[in-house]
Amino acid sequence: MLMRSGKAKPPSIRGRLVQSLLWISIVFGLLTSVVVWYVIAHEMGELMDQELREAAEIFHSVMAIQPDLATHGQSATKHFSYEEHLVWQVVDAPSGRVKSRSHKAPERALQTTPTEAIAWTQDGQWRAFTSVFSQRPGQFLVVAQSRTERDEAHAEVVGYTLMAALSMGLLSALLMNWRIRQELDPLAALGQGVQHYDPLRPDTAPKAVPRQELLPIEQAIGDLGHRLAQRIISERAFTSHAAHALRTPVAGIDVQLALAIKEAPESIRPRLVRARDAAGRLGRVMQALLMVFRSGMEPQRQDVDLRQLIDALVFHDMVISIHQATPVNADPDLLAAALLNLLDNSHRFNAHHVTITALQEGPDTVLRVQDDGDGCQPHTKARLQQSLQQQAYGEGSAMRGLGLVLADLVARAHGGHTVLPDSASGFGIELRWPAATTRSAG
């Protein structure tokens, strides 16, 4: 069933689940990064401090073997373009001056006095370790690492962890989306099965893919369809019997009223005429109901001669013109029931001439009924058209009689619909349904 226009599209279960998985992946990645930042920050600090200490020991051993490196300026005569993760200085303790340093080490001493433990410099920008030369007690070695370098190492660890966590999360979301699609396919198939389910035809009952969650739904739909079918069968039988039982008494009432009109005084004849008209209309309703329930709303298609069909029906003194430009393939009983009520509506609204036209428009057969009666206001016609589109036949809708409802039901039984076209005068209605050749080809 198509959604009614103007209503917002309901949220999708699959879309909501995928959106939730995506947000969970993002939050998981962020939380993982925060945890990594706090958990391994301490371990990373210890590892870098250990690296600092071991580098200092290496530098100290080399400079102890080659004292010239510590006393004759920089250790290299040429500056190479490379990233120096550690810097070193040889500081003269009494004067606090730098005796020798690496290329990227600052010119001022990072530490003016040796310390036993690794510590931050006074400006907080360097993590330094000092080692005193045993041969030269007045000098000591400083090996340091900048805060920028340490922060960059922390950031790389967190960044790579975040990227890995988000990548795994997004990959998991894609895999879960694929699995969700697969698991929701049986639900979509069940929905399509319900859409084509006819309770009066048990062979059309929806069959769901075996899933524990869908079995109760399938059983509930089957039980509901069975109860609905029983109710429809009972109502059809009752209405058919009631219409058949009322047909003979109504015909007798019409005969008696005809005789009474001839014998009655002139003063009461208008009332008797109105009573006979009402009885005649009741008879035509009974006839239409008999036709509908004889066919059971299941169209038994055959080529219909509109003139022969109309002549077989009993109407008022309206002039009925028929223009059949194309073969009409339809159920004659259903079509007769619809036309009977539409023509009765035209008579009730003071029509004297009705034109019935059958033509072909594209793949559709169009049966148009146009009268010259009172018609209706544009806003009323718009409400009627909306009720027909939405199949709103009950209380609160614009529908007030059986004619339009029955015509729409007959058109839909043939796989079509009804349209209320604009007309300069009177009232018009079109019954449209796919032609027989189109249906068989499909």
Side-chain angles (χ1 to χ4, degrees), residues 144-173:
Q145 187 178 36
S146 68
R147 178 180 289 275
T148 302
E149 178 65 28
R150 297 173 71 91
D151 291 344
E152 183 180 349
H154 284 107
E156 287 181 356
V157 172
V158 175
Y160 290 144
T161 305
L162 176 60
M163 291 174 57
L166 288 178
S167 300
M168 293 300 297
L170 292 177
L171 179 61
S172 300

Side-chain angles (χ1 to χ4, degrees), residues 125-136:
Q125 297 302 313
W126 296 87
R127 184 79 168 170
F129 176 74
T130 60
S131 177
V132 179
F133 292 105
S134 57
Q135 300 89 344
R136 300 182 299 279

Side-chain angles (χ1 to χ4, degrees), residues 1-321:
M1 182 179 293
L2 296 177
M3 291 182 57
R4 296 181 182 179
S5 58
K7 281 197 171 184
K9 188 176 181 180
S12 167
I13 296 176
R14 182 175 62 195
R16 289 168 61 88
L17 288 176
V18 171
Q19 185 178 11
S20 299
L21 284 173
L22 183 60
W23 280 110
I24 290 173
S25 301
I26 294 175
V27 173
F28 173 76
L30 294 176
L31 289 178
T32 301
S33 300
V34 172
V35 171
V36 168
W37 180 271
Y38 283 103
V39 171
I40 56 178
H42 177 69
E43 295 297 327
M44 285 292 297
E46 288 187 351
L47 288 174
M48 286 187 285
D49 286 347
Q50 184 66 27
E51 177 188 5
L52 193 63
R53 185 184 296 272
E54 292 177 356
E57 292 178 355
I58 294 173
F59 290 153
H60 185 275
S61 299
V62 172
M63 291 182 180
I65 297 173
Q66 297 180 354
D68 293 342
L69 295 176
T71 56
H72 293 86
Q74 295 180 347
S75 61
T77 59
K78 186 177 181 181
H79 176 69
F80 296 95
S81 178
Y82 64 93
E83 185 176 359
E84 200 168 20
H85 296 282
L86 299 175
V87 297
W88 58 267
Q89 294 175 336
V90 176
V91 181
D92 183 65
S95 62
R97 291 191 311 158
V98 176
K99 303 289 289 182
S100 182
R101 62 184 177 88
S102 61
H103 282 292
K104 294 188 178 181
E107 295 181 358
R108 64 177 182 81
L110 295 175
Q111 295 282 29
T112 57
T113 57
T115 58
E116 295 182 358
I118 299 176
W120 290 99
T121 58
Q122 291 183 354
D123 58 5
Q125 297 302 313
W126 296 87
R127 184 79 168 170
F129 176 74
T130 60
S131 177
V132 179
F133 292 105
S134 57
Q135 300 89 344
R136 300 182 299 279
Q139 295 180 359
F140 60 90
L141 174 67
V142 179
V143 180
Q145 187 178 36
S146 68
R147 178 180 289 275
T148 302
E149 178 65 28
R150 297 173 71 91
D151 291 344
E152 183 180 349
H154 284 107
E156 287 181 356
V157 172
V158 175
Y160 290 144
T161 305
L162 176 60
M163 291 174 57
L166 288 178
S167 300
M168 293 300 297
L170 292 177
L171 179 61
S172 300
L174 292 175
L175 292 176
M176 287 300 298
N177 181 29
W178 175 67
R179 286 298 301 160
I180 289 172
R181 287 176 180 271
Q182 284 191 325
E183 292 301 323
L184 289 180
D185 282 345
L187 187 59
L190 180 61
Q192 293 179 354
V194 173
Q195 186 177 2
H196 298 91
Y197 177 36
D198 183 356
L200 297 178
R201 297 172 55 192
D203 58 301
T204 62
K207 300 295 183 182
V209 177
R211 295 289 189 277
Q212 281 188 336
E213 294 80 6
L214 297 182
L215 288 178
I217 300 177
E218 180 184 353
Q219 184 176 1
I221 293 173
D223 294 342
L224 179 62
H226 179 71
R227 294 195 301 269
L228 182 60
Q230 292 297 325
R231 184 170 181 177
I232 292 174
I233 292 173
S234 300
E235 290 182 355
R236 282 185 177 179
F238 171 78
T239 307
S240 179
H241 288 311
H244 191 275
L246 289 173
R247 186 178 183 181
T248 301
V250 169
I253 292 174
D254 182 71
V255 173
Q256 295 299 322
L257 287 173
L259 295 174
I261 290 173
K262 292 182 179 181
E263 300 174 356
E266 190 67 29
S267 60
I268 64 173
R269 281 185 180 181
R271 296 181 182 178
L272 293 175
V273 170
R274 288 195 296 271
R276 190 186 180 194
D277 289 342
R281 183 169 183 270
L282 179 60
R284 288 188 292 275
V285 171
M286 295 298 104
Q287 184 180 357
L289 291 176
L290 282 174
M291 292 176 179
V292 170
F293 287 102
R294 187 181 299 125
S295 64
M297 293 303 291
E298 291 293 335
Q300 305 297 322
R301 284 173 171 255
Q302 64 185 64
D303 290 337
V304 177
D305 186 335
L306 290 179
R307 172 55 65 186
Q308 184 178 358
L309 182 68
I310 295 299
D311 290 344
L313 302 176
V314 179
F315 290 113
H316 309 279
D317 55 355
M318 292 188 305
V319 178
I320 302 175
S321 301

Side-chain angles (χ1 to χ4, degrees), residues 383-404:
R383 290 185 58 204
L384 290 172
Q385 183 67 71
Q386 184 179 12
S387 297
L388 290 173
Q389 289 177 350
Q390 299 177 353
Q391 294 183 269
Y393 308 140
E395 296 182 2
S397 69
M399 297 297 183
R400 291 293 182 269
L402 183 62
L404 293 180

